[in-house]
Amino acid sequence: VMQQTMFRVKDPKRPLDFYTKVLGMQLITVGDFPQWGFTVFFVGYPPEKDLGPVPAKEEDKFAYCMRVPGCIELTWNHGSEAEDADRVYNTGNSDATGSANGEKVRGGFGHIGITVPDVYEACQRFKDMGAEM
């Protein structure tokens, strides 16, 4: 079972709003590492019937999170929010962001899959909430 995948984010607010408000995931735990200049945010769909609710104590949340399958770790490298470019990380999908020679990088990230009852209804909801499609 896949436990997590990680995405780097320029500024945590926008992606956290997307994953929690648009996709309905829960923010399970946050790890702040100022000594290394980054913060991680773990979001997912905790299977509370199997694991119980997300613990209230901060010190218990990380261990709980590591038992939740399919989490997304959003890694914010401090300072990236101040960069001028709208996007500072390369998606690998015909994107030149961050490449040394300005050439587009191909064949990288594809997608994550979320199961929904009605894909057309979900897409309309995502659009209505401002998600890029």
Side-chain angles (χ1 to χ4, degrees), residues 63-90:
Y64 177 93
C65 181
M66 293 299 107
R67 296 172 48 217
V68 175
C71 283
I72 295 178
E73 173 187 342
L74 302 171
T75 298
W76 168 46
N77 293 310
H78 302 166
S80 61
E81 73 284 359
E83 294 190 29
D84 288 334
D86 185 40
R87 293 191 169 97
V88 297
Y89 296 112
N90 193 300

Side-chain angles (χ1 to χ4, degrees), residues 76-125:
W76 168 46
N77 293 310
H78 302 166
S80 61
E81 73 284 359
E83 294 190 29
D84 288 334
D86 185 40
R87 293 191 169 97
V88 297
Y89 296 112
N90 193 300
T91 65
N93 292 320
S94 193
D95 183 353
T97 304
S99 66
N101 61 3
E103 295 290 320
K104 292 182 178 182
V105 176
R106 299 189 58 81
F109 177 74
H111 66 275
I112 59 170
I114 305 291
T115 301
V116 296
D118 183 313
V119 70
Y120 299 105
E121 192 175 288
C123 286
Q124 187 59 54
R125 181 176 171 270

Side-chain angles (χ1 to χ4, degrees), residues 14 18 22 123-133:
R14 186 173 169 195
F18 174 75
V22 177
C123 286
Q124 187 59 54
R125 181 176 171 270
F126 298 161
K127 286 179 188 176
D128 292 347
M129 295 183 82
E132 292 180 29
M133 304 286 288

